[in-house]
Amino acid sequence: MPAPAKAEPGPVPARPGPARPEVDAPPDVDVRASDADRDQVADILREALAQGRLDAEEHSERVEAAYSAKTMGQLEPLVRDLPRPTPPSAYAPPRDEGPWPPHGASDHLVAIFNDTSRKGRWRIGPKTNVFACFGSVRIDLTEAIFEQRRIVINATSLFGGISVKVPENVTLRGKGAGIFGGFDISPHDSPDPDAPVVLVQGAGIFGAVEARPKRGKFLRDLRKER
């Protein structure tokens, strides 16, 4: 009598393994970039320049590309190879002056092979980004309207010049570097502990950034101006 045929082995059930981590969906490269998105990229590039991760030419090219970017897909490659910097709120001035403005809406002043200025009676926002390339930017805050106490001016000069003047009764701070150029901030403390505080930060690359009080110019009423 013939032996019964051996049954073919069936499929071995897979053993349960560790769950695969969910992979975040890539950002939509076609989403329009906001001013806050451009500001964050500019901050990363500024920190990378100060740390020597980018040279002056690379920094200039990327900053110019950041401020002309229209979509997130154009911004992301500019910082893909760079670490994220310490946020500006980590900056600790000599006395407790409260938190600095977070990322948000910003004003932009750009001078490329030309000159631009902001002066007279105007409202200064919490953050102003300034970029001068073979040109100059002059900012005069002596008649400006301060609607908040903390003001940050991000200033980058490449073969150009940036000048900032503040009233004598406003506190002035500086944080930055001159790279084959100058970064000259004259720190100044207002006698009024509640006076507005202006922080100028950035770099002078084969160019100059300077900020100082304008003698004889005062905000008429510090509390009313805010």
Side-chain angles (χ1 to χ4, degrees), residues 131-203:
F131 179 64
C133 179
F134 292 100
S136 66
V137 179
R138 289 182 292 275
I139 299 176
D140 189 337
L141 300 178
T142 57
E143 297 181 15
I145 299 172
F146 290 77
E147 295 186 319
Q148 57 282 311
R149 189 168 170 238
R150 316 281 183 259
I151 305 293
V152 173
I153 298 177
N154 295 317
T156 302
S157 173
L158 177 65
F159 293 101
I162 297 173
S163 173
V164 180
K165 301 290 186 183
V166 303
E168 201 169 340
N169 55 345
V170 166
T171 293
L172 177 63
R173 301 275 182 245
K175 183 176 68 169
I179 303 172
F180 297 104
F183 189 84
D184 182 15
I185 310 299
S186 299
H188 175 72
D189 286 313
S190 171
D192 188 334
D194 295 322
V197 182
V198 177
L199 170 65
V200 180
Q201 62 181 6

Side-chain angles (χ1 to χ4, degrees), residues 14 36 38 41 60 67 70 72 79 107 122 142 152 155 167 205 207 218:
R38 297 184 190 93
V41 170
S60 173
Y67 283 124
K70 300 298 184 185
M72 296 300 294
V79 293
D107 292 329
W122 61 289
T142 57
V152 173
I205 311 160
F218 299 88

